[in-house]
Amino acid sequence: MTRRTDWAEYTGGPAGPGDGAYGAAAAPYETDPRAVGPAEDGEVCRGDGEARHGGGRDRGGGGPRGRRRRERAGPSAEDGGVTSSSRAEKGEPPRDPVEQARAICLRLLTGTPRTRRQLADALRKREIPDEAAEEVLSRFEEVGLINDGAFAEAWVESRHHGRGLARRALARELRTKGVDATLIDAAVSQLDTEQEEGTARELVSRKLRATRGLDRDKRLRRLAGMLARKGYPEGLALRVVRQALEEEGEDTEGLGDEGF
Protein backbone atom coordinates (compact mmCIF):
# COMPACT_ATOMS: atom_id res chain seq x y z
CA MET A 1 0.00 0.00 0.00
CA THR A 2 1.24 3.50 -0.65
CA ARG A 3 1.26 6.46 1.68
CA ARG A 4 -1.33 9.04 0.69
CA THR A 5 0.30 12.36 0.11
CA ASP A 6 -0.91 15.81 -0.60
CA TRP A 7 0.19 18.06 -3.44
CA ALA A 8 0.74 20.86 -0.97
CA GLU A 9 3.46 18.76 0.67
CA TYR A 10 5.46 18.87 -2.55
CA THR A 11 4.60 22.38 -3.64
CA GLY A 12 5.65 23.92 -0.35
CA GLY A 13 9.33 23.56 -1.30
CA PRO A 14 12.35 25.04 0.41
CA ALA A 15 12.61 28.01 -1.86
CA GLY A 16 10.34 30.40 -3.65
CA PRO A 17 10.11 33.74 -5.36
CA GLY A 18 10.91 35.62 -2.19
CA ASP A 19 13.45 33.26 -0.61
CA GLY A 20 16.62 35.23 -0.92
CA ALA A 21 19.51 33.11 -2.25
CA TYR A 22 17.97 32.02 -5.51
CA GLY A 23 14.66 33.83 -5.57
CA ALA A 24 13.85 36.55 -8.06
CA ALA A 25 14.09 40.09 -6.75
CA ALA A 26 10.74 41.81 -6.53
CA ALA A 27 10.24 44.64 -9.01
CA PRO A 28 9.87 48.04 -7.33
CA TYR A 29 6.46 49.62 -7.26
CA GLU A 30 5.93 52.41 -9.74
CA THR A 31 4.06 55.51 -8.74
CA ASP A 32 2.64 58.42 -10.66
CA PRO A 33 4.97 61.39 -10.15
CA ARG A 34 1.94 63.68 -10.35
CA ALA A 35 0.22 62.17 -7.33
CA VAL A 36 0.28 64.50 -4.32
CA GLY A 37 -1.33 64.58 -0.92
CA PRO A 38 -3.78 67.04 0.69
CA ALA A 39 -3.14 70.68 -0.06
CA GLU A 40 -2.77 73.32 2.59
CA ASP A 41 -5.56 75.46 4.03
CA GLY A 42 -8.32 72.92 3.34
CA GLU A 43 -7.56 72.58 -0.37
CA VAL A 44 -7.34 69.22 -2.12
CA CYS A 45 -4.93 69.08 -4.99
CA ARG A 46 -6.09 66.87 -7.87
CA GLY A 47 -2.55 66.14 -9.12
CA ASP A 48 -2.83 68.38 -12.18
CA GLY A 49 -2.14 71.61 -10.35
CA GLU A 50 -5.80 72.56 -9.98
CA ALA A 51 -7.13 72.89 -6.45
CA ARG A 52 -10.64 72.94 -5.05
CA HIS A 53 -11.95 74.92 -2.09
CA GLY A 54 -14.50 72.95 -0.08
CA GLY A 55 -15.83 71.18 -3.18
CA GLY A 56 -15.87 74.33 -5.37
CA ARG A 57 -13.61 75.03 -8.34
CA ASP A 58 -10.48 77.01 -7.58
CA ARG A 59 -10.91 80.50 -8.81
CA GLY A 60 -7.20 81.18 -8.73
CA GLY A 61 -5.88 78.04 -10.41
CA GLY A 62 -3.55 80.06 -12.54
CA GLY A 63 -2.14 82.06 -9.63
CA PRO A 64 1.01 81.52 -7.55
CA ARG A 65 -0.59 78.76 -5.46
CA GLY A 66 -1.65 76.81 -8.54
CA ARG A 67 1.85 77.17 -10.00
CA ARG A 68 3.38 75.89 -6.77
CA ARG A 69 1.14 72.85 -6.92
CA ARG A 70 2.20 72.12 -10.49
CA GLU A 71 5.86 72.52 -9.65
CA ARG A 72 5.51 70.15 -6.68
CA ALA A 73 3.65 67.59 -8.80
CA GLY A 74 6.45 67.37 -11.36
CA PRO A 75 6.34 67.41 -15.16
CA SER A 76 3.27 66.05 -16.90
CA ALA A 77 3.14 64.22 -20.22
CA GLU A 78 2.13 67.46 -21.91
CA ASP A 79 5.23 69.17 -20.50
CA GLY A 80 7.47 66.45 -21.90
CA GLY A 81 7.75 64.48 -18.64
CA VAL A 82 8.29 60.70 -18.66
CA THR A 83 5.21 58.80 -17.45
CA SER A 84 6.13 55.29 -18.63
CA SER A 85 8.77 53.13 -16.97
CA SER A 86 9.26 50.66 -19.76
CA ARG A 87 12.83 49.63 -20.41
CA ALA A 88 12.59 50.53 -24.08
CA GLU A 89 11.49 54.11 -23.39
CA LYS A 90 14.19 54.50 -20.75
CA GLY A 91 16.80 53.21 -23.14
CA GLU A 92 17.79 50.40 -20.74
CA PRO A 93 19.30 47.18 -22.09
CA PRO A 94 17.12 44.04 -22.11
CA ARG A 95 17.09 41.84 -19.02
CA ASP A 96 19.73 39.16 -18.64
CA PRO A 97 18.47 35.84 -20.11
CA VAL A 98 19.33 33.96 -16.92
CA GLU A 99 17.31 36.46 -14.89
CA GLN A 100 14.40 36.09 -17.31
CA ALA A 101 14.56 32.28 -17.18
CA ARG A 102 14.66 32.27 -13.40
CA ALA A 103 11.63 34.57 -13.14
CA ILE A 104 9.64 32.48 -15.63
CA CYS A 105 10.38 29.22 -13.81
CA LEU A 106 9.55 30.62 -10.40
CA ARG A 107 6.25 31.95 -11.69
CA LEU A 108 5.33 28.61 -13.29
CA LEU A 109 6.27 26.66 -10.16
CA THR A 110 4.16 28.81 -7.86
CA GLY A 111 1.49 26.49 -6.46
CA THR A 112 2.01 23.78 -9.12
CA PRO A 113 4.92 21.34 -9.37
CA ARG A 114 6.28 20.82 -12.89
CA THR A 115 8.81 18.57 -14.54
CA ARG A 116 12.10 19.77 -15.97
CA ARG A 117 10.83 19.09 -19.51
CA GLN A 118 7.72 21.19 -18.95
CA LEU A 119 9.81 24.13 -17.77
CA ALA A 120 12.31 23.70 -20.60
CA ASP A 121 9.48 23.77 -23.13
CA ALA A 122 8.10 26.95 -21.56
CA LEU A 123 11.50 28.66 -21.73
CA ARG A 124 11.95 27.62 -25.35
CA LYS A 125 8.56 29.11 -26.29
CA ARG A 126 9.68 32.38 -24.71
CA GLU A 127 12.88 32.27 -26.78
CA ILE A 128 15.23 31.97 -23.81
CA PRO A 129 18.71 30.90 -25.06
CA ASP A 130 19.51 27.24 -24.43
CA GLU A 131 22.57 28.02 -22.32
CA ALA A 132 20.64 30.30 -19.97
CA ALA A 133 17.79 27.80 -19.71
CA GLU A 134 20.16 24.94 -18.92
CA GLU A 135 21.91 26.96 -16.22
CA VAL A 136 18.67 27.85 -14.45
CA LEU A 137 17.09 24.40 -14.76
CA SER A 138 20.21 22.70 -13.40
CA ARG A 139 20.34 25.13 -10.50
CA PHE A 140 16.67 24.53 -9.72
CA GLU A 141 17.33 20.79 -9.63
CA GLU A 142 20.22 21.32 -7.23
CA VAL A 143 18.07 23.23 -4.74
CA GLY A 144 15.11 20.84 -5.09
CA LEU A 145 12.67 23.11 -6.90
CA ILE A 146 12.67 20.61 -9.76
CA ASN A 147 12.42 16.94 -8.77
CA ASP A 148 10.98 14.68 -11.44
CA GLY A 149 11.10 11.64 -9.15
CA ALA A 150 9.04 13.33 -6.45
CA PHE A 151 6.72 14.73 -9.12
CA ALA A 152 6.07 11.25 -10.53
CA GLU A 153 5.39 9.72 -7.13
CA ALA A 154 2.98 12.48 -6.14
CA TRP A 155 1.27 12.26 -9.54
CA VAL A 156 0.70 8.51 -9.18
CA GLU A 157 -0.63 8.87 -5.65
CA SER A 158 -2.98 11.73 -6.53
CA ARG A 159 -4.31 10.41 -9.84
CA HIS A 160 -4.83 6.86 -8.64
CA HIS A 161 -6.81 7.86 -5.55
CA GLY A 162 -8.53 10.83 -7.14
CA ARG A 163 -9.36 9.45 -10.59
CA GLY A 164 -8.88 5.71 -10.15
CA LEU A 165 -6.27 5.51 -12.91
CA ALA A 166 -4.34 2.27 -13.31
CA ARG A 167 -0.59 1.91 -13.77
CA ARG A 168 -0.73 1.88 -17.55
CA ALA A 169 -2.67 5.16 -17.77
CA LEU A 170 -0.46 6.79 -15.14
CA ALA A 171 2.71 5.82 -17.01
CA ARG A 172 1.27 7.25 -20.23
CA GLU A 173 0.49 10.59 -18.56
CA LEU A 174 3.95 10.85 -17.03
CA ARG A 175 5.59 10.15 -20.39
CA THR A 176 3.72 13.08 -21.92
CA LYS A 177 5.19 15.30 -19.19
CA GLY A 178 8.74 14.29 -20.04
CA VAL A 179 9.49 12.13 -16.99
CA ASP A 180 12.32 9.64 -17.49
CA ALA A 181 11.25 6.03 -17.99
CA THR A 182 13.24 4.84 -14.97
CA LEU A 183 11.49 7.34 -12.71
CA ILE A 184 8.11 6.35 -14.16
CA ASP A 185 8.72 2.68 -13.43
CA ALA A 186 9.71 3.49 -9.86
CA ALA A 187 6.61 5.65 -9.33
CA VAL A 188 4.01 3.27 -10.74
CA SER A 189 5.55 0.37 -8.82
CA GLN A 190 3.94 1.94 -5.74
CA LEU A 191 0.73 0.29 -6.94
CA ASP A 192 0.61 -3.49 -6.73
CA THR A 193 -1.87 -5.75 -8.52
CA GLU A 194 -4.01 -6.22 -5.43
CA GLN A 195 -4.41 -2.48 -4.88
CA GLU A 196 -5.15 -1.90 -8.54
CA GLU A 197 -7.86 -4.58 -8.56
CA GLY A 198 -9.40 -3.14 -5.39
CA THR A 199 -9.69 0.28 -7.00
CA ALA A 200 -11.26 -1.30 -10.11
CA ARG A 201 -13.92 -2.95 -7.94
CA GLU A 202 -14.73 0.36 -6.28
CA LEU A 203 -15.13 2.05 -9.67
CA VAL A 204 -17.48 -0.66 -10.94
CA SER A 205 -19.50 -0.59 -7.74
CA ARG A 206 -20.13 3.14 -8.12
CA LYS A 207 -21.19 2.83 -11.77
CA LEU A 208 -23.18 -0.39 -11.48
CA ARG A 209 -26.48 1.19 -10.49
CA ALA A 210 -26.45 3.51 -13.51
CA THR A 211 -26.41 0.48 -15.84
CA ARG A 212 -29.44 -1.25 -14.37
CA GLY A 213 -32.19 -1.73 -16.92
CA LEU A 214 -29.71 -2.34 -19.75
CA ASP A 215 -29.22 -5.79 -21.22
CA ARG A 216 -26.44 -7.90 -19.82
CA ASP A 217 -23.98 -7.53 -22.71
CA LYS A 218 -24.39 -3.77 -22.83
CA ARG A 219 -23.75 -3.51 -19.10
CA LEU A 220 -20.57 -5.52 -19.52
CA ARG A 221 -19.30 -3.35 -22.37
CA ARG A 222 -20.07 -0.11 -20.59
CA LEU A 223 -18.46 -1.08 -17.29
CA ALA A 224 -15.46 -2.84 -18.78
CA GLY A 225 -14.96 0.00 -21.24
CA MET A 226 -14.86 2.48 -18.36
CA LEU A 227 -12.08 0.47 -16.73
CA ALA A 228 -10.19 0.16 -20.01
CA ARG A 229 -10.18 3.95 -20.48
CA LYS A 230 -8.58 4.25 -17.04
CA GLY A 231 -5.78 1.91 -18.03
CA TYR A 232 -6.91 -1.42 -16.53
CA PRO A 233 -5.93 -4.59 -18.44
CA GLU A 234 -8.76 -6.30 -20.33
CA GLY A 235 -8.55 -9.54 -18.35
CA LEU A 236 -8.78 -7.77 -15.00
CA ALA A 237 -11.63 -5.52 -16.20
CA LEU A 238 -13.73 -8.46 -17.46
CA ARG A 239 -13.18 -10.45 -14.29
CA VAL A 240 -14.16 -7.57 -12.00
CA VAL A 241 -17.28 -6.72 -14.02
CA ARG A 242 -18.47 -10.33 -14.24
CA GLN A 243 -18.12 -10.78 -10.50
CA ALA A 244 -20.08 -7.57 -9.86
CA LEU A 245 -22.89 -8.72 -12.17
CA GLU A 246 -22.99 -12.15 -10.58
CA GLU A 247 -23.46 -10.53 -7.18
CA GLU A 248 -26.56 -8.85 -8.62
CA GLY A 249 -27.91 -12.20 -9.79
CA GLU A 250 -26.99 -11.87 -13.47
CA ASP A 251 -26.21 -15.04 -15.40
CA THR A 252 -22.66 -14.46 -16.66
CA GLU A 253 -22.08 -17.82 -18.37
CA GLY A 254 -20.12 -17.14 -21.56
CA LEU A 255 -20.24 -13.41 -20.88
CA GLY A 256 -17.17 -11.61 -22.14
CA ASP A 257 -15.40 -14.73 -23.40
CA GLU A 258 -14.68 -12.91 -26.68
CA GLY A 259 -13.55 -9.71 -25.05
CA PHE A 260 -15.34 -6.38 -25.36
Side-chain angles (χ1 to χ4, degrees):
M1 299 291 288
T2 59
R3 179 176 70 85
R4 186 170 180 82
T5 59
D6 185 41
W7 274 109
E9 182 178 334
Y10 176 59
T11 58
D19 288 341
Y22 203 62
Y29 288 104
E30 297 173 355
T31 57
D32 187 345
R34 293 175 297 168
V36 296
E40 300 174 356
D41 301 328
E43 297 175 350
V44 178
C45 184
R46 303 191 321 180
D48 57 0
E50 185 176 355
R52 293 180 181 274
H53 291 272
R57 190 172 183 84
D58 180 25
R59 294 183 296 274
R65 180 169 294 175
R67 285 196 297 273
R68 287 199 299 272
R69 294 291 180 270
R70 285 194 292 271
E71 291 170 1
R72 183 185 303 174
S76 66
E78 295 177 353
D79 297 330
V82 178
T83 59
S84 173
S85 62
S86 68
R87 293 177 179 271
E89 292 182 356
K90 287 184 175 183
E92 296 181 8
R95 292 174 62 186
D96 177 67
V98 172
E99 179 188 347
Q100 286 183 302
R102 182 167 57 243
I104 291 168
C105 289
L106 287 171
R107 184 171 65 252
L108 292 174
L109 287 168
T110 301
T112 304
R114 299 177 190 270
T115 65
R116 178 174 177 133
R117 225 279 293 283
Q118 287 177 306
L119 293 173
D121 289 345
L123 295 178
R124 191 174 301 111
K125 288 180 181 178
R126 289 163 176 79
E127 299 182 348
I128 300 297
D130 291 343
E131 290 184 1
E134 182 67 23
E135 177 181 339
V136 171
L137 294 174
S138 297
R139 176 58 177 160
F140 272 42
E141 279 189 327
E142 290 178 9
V143 300
L145 288 175
I146 300 175
N147 188 331
D148 284 2
F151 177 96
E153 291 176 2
W155 186 269
V156 167
E157 182 76 10
S158 174
R159 298 285 283 176
H160 178 73
H161 289 286
R163 297 288 303 278
L165 298 185
R167 288 173 289 186
R168 185 167 60 184
L170 292 166
R172 183 170 58 247
E173 288 185 341
L174 289 171
R175 281 195 297 271
T176 65
K177 297 183 180 299
V179 179
D180 183 78
T182 303
L183 297 177
I184 292 175
D185 292 341
V188 299
S189 66
Q190 298 178 82
L191 302 176
D192 55 32
T193 302
E194 182 179 350
Q195 184 176 358
E196 200 172 48
E197 183 169 337
T199 302
R201 292 184 186 282
E202 293 175 5
L203 291 170
V204 170
S205 178
R206 291 201 296 264
K207 296 288 185 181
L208 196 62
R209 180 178 297 180
T211 66
R212 289 173 185 164
L214 301 176
D215 65 69
R216 186 191 65 172
D217 291 344
K218 186 173 289 187
R219 295 185 79 187
L220 171 71
R221 289 195 299 271
R222 183 164 297 184
L223 293 170
M226 177 267 296
L227 292 179
R229 288 190 296 274
K230 291 181 178 292
Y232 291 90
E234 181 178 352
L236 184 150
L238 289 173
R239 183 173 70 254
V240 168
V241 174
R242 288 182 64 170
Q243 289 175 351
L245 294 176
E246 287 173 359
E247 291 172 0
E248 283 201 341
E250 287 273 15
D251 179 13
T252 60
E253 185 178 354
L255 183 64
D257 289 345
E258 299 180 356
F260 60 93

